[in-house]
Amino acid sequence: MRVRRPTFDFSNTPARWATEGEFAQQMNASSLWIPYLERFLNRVMAQAASRLDANDPNTAKLKADIRMFIRQEANHYSLHGAFNEILPRSGYNVKAFEEHFEKEFARLYETKSFKFLLAYCEGFETLGPPMALVWLDEIEELLAGADSEVVRLWKWHLMEEYEHRAVCHDAFKAFRGGYFLRVYAFFYQLRHLGGFSRMVRDHLFEVDSAGKTPSEIKEMKLRGKRVMRKVMKLALPRILKALSPFHDPAKAPEPKAYRRYMASIEASLA
């Protein structure tokens, strides 16, 4: 793993930054909670690192991996925070959603057991490799004509999600987390984060509906459903493989464009 902080310019990025505007808004809805989630991930993983025996050579690599994970995630939430500024700038009032996300992650951290918190983090991180395959290899038709800075942001982020895919899983195992807790937390986080995305998406679509006819609004919502079905048809079968008792994210297939894209990002940092 390596810490990379590319630069992005979103100063002229519209909210509907893709040719399929509904796809852009779906991704914008997910991006809005990413800074709050990833601060939460870092808080939990920092606690995990502090609980690992510093004198045990078997945990030395995991502690080092967690430190690198935290640094990568700090870049992710910082740069997604900058990207998310396009929403209020474009007239969407999202402050209440952001306050809700912050409170929700504080509630989880304060009320759930340490092992559940690890399992929640592990559950979310299982989404990284399937979504990296989708973004790096499989949806170029959706990205054609899209704002290049936004595409770079998501591809860089998911490239690194693939790179650190095993860290939360290894931490969960190190604290002897069990299979049934892992599966429970997997579905919990899917429902939790999916609810966040839906509430923001519905607001974005509602604002976009202003001045449109009922038939135009219906078609907009149908386009949104079609584009997400396309993405989930690719990702969901891979995501559900995490339910196997033998799930090992280290063995997740590498996206064909992974190393090529990594090289392009690293060249831009030179």
Side-chain angles (χ1 to χ4, degrees):
M1 290 185 287
R2 178 184 170 188
V3 177
R4 310 168 186 86
R5 190 178 174 89
T7 57
F8 304 104
D9 180 5
F10 304 119
S11 58
N12 296 311
T13 300
R16 295 170 69 88
W17 45 264
T19 303
E20 289 274 6
E22 290 72 29
F23 171 67
Q25 295 290 45
Q26 296 274 7
M27 297 308 302
N28 294 343
S30 296
S31 182
L32 194 66
W33 48 257
I34 280 176
Y36 303 92
L37 166 70
E38 294 194 328
R39 288 188 185 97
F40 167 80
L41 295 178
N42 279 0
R43 192 178 181 189
V44 174
M45 296 304 287
Q47 184 182 164
S50 72
R51 292 190 181 198
L52 291 169
D53 185 352
N55 298 314
D56 183 350
N58 294 322
T59 63
K61 181 180 184 303
L62 179 55
K63 286 173 74 74
D65 286 348
I66 290 173
R67 286 194 295 271
M68 189 65 71
F69 172 94
I70 288 172
R71 292 175 65 195
Q72 285 190 337
E73 294 290 30
N75 280 338
H76 295 178
Y77 68 65
S78 174
L79 292 173
H80 271 274
F83 168 68
N84 292 341
E85 289 300 313
I86 70 173
L87 291 176
R89 189 179 74 214
S90 301
Y92 302 94
N93 185 0
V94 296
K95 185 176 180 180
F97 298 120
E98 294 176 306
E99 291 173 350
H100 175 67
F101 304 151
E102 188 166 20
K103 289 176 183 176
E104 269 295 287
F105 286 116
R107 178 189 66 82
L108 280 183
Y109 192 84
E110 292 161 6
T111 62
K112 298 293 185 180
S113 71
F114 174 60
K115 283 190 179 181
F116 174 86
L117 298 178
L118 285 174
Y120 184 107
C121 296
E122 196 274 348
F124 172 73
E125 289 294 313
T126 64
L127 309 182
M131 292 308 297
L133 281 167
V134 170
W135 268 82
L136 292 172
D137 290 350
E138 298 174 341
I139 58 166
E140 286 306 309
E141 75 281 2
L142 285 176
L143 304 179
D147 184 292
S148 60
E149 295 291 272
V150 183
V151 174
R152 285 180 65 238
L153 170 74
W154 281 104
K155 287 190 173 186
W156 158 75
H157 184 164
L158 288 161
M159 176 197 79
E160 292 194 345
E161 288 296 319
Y162 178 82
E163 185 174 52
H164 68 224
R165 63 195 179 279
V167 177
C168 289
H169 180 80
D170 291 347
F172 183 66
K173 283 176 61 181
F175 289 94
R176 292 179 166 78
Y179 171 74
F180 292 107
L181 175 59
R182 183 172 72 79
V183 170
Y184 170 69
F186 172 83
F187 283 111
Y188 186 104
Q189 61 83 29
L190 277 183
R191 183 173 180 273
H192 197 222
L193 300 175
F196 290 172
S197 290
R198 282 190 296 276
M199 68 172 70
V200 179
R201 178 205 63 199
D202 290 349
H203 169 68
L204 301 182
F205 281 11
E206 181 180 1
V207 174
D208 290 348
S209 297
K212 288 184 168 56
T213 66
S215 62
E216 288 172 332
I217 294 170
K218 181 180 179 180
E219 180 55 32
M220 181 182 71
K221 290 181 177 179
L222 286 173
R223 285 196 302 270
K225 289 179 180 177
R226 281 197 297 267
V227 75
M228 289 315 294
R229 277 199 299 266
K230 182 181 297 185
V231 172
M232 293 314 296
K233 184 178 179 181
L234 294 168
L236 191 58
R238 297 161 179 160
I239 291 170
L240 292 178
K241 289 181 179 179
L243 299 179
S244 166
F246 309 105
H247 170 64
D248 181 357
K251 297 179 180 178
E254 181 179 301
K256 293 183 179 68
Y258 170 70
R259 294 181 188 275
R260 183 171 71 251
Y261 195 74
M262 182 190 297
S264 73
I265 287 289
E266 293 183 348
S268 74
L269 303 176

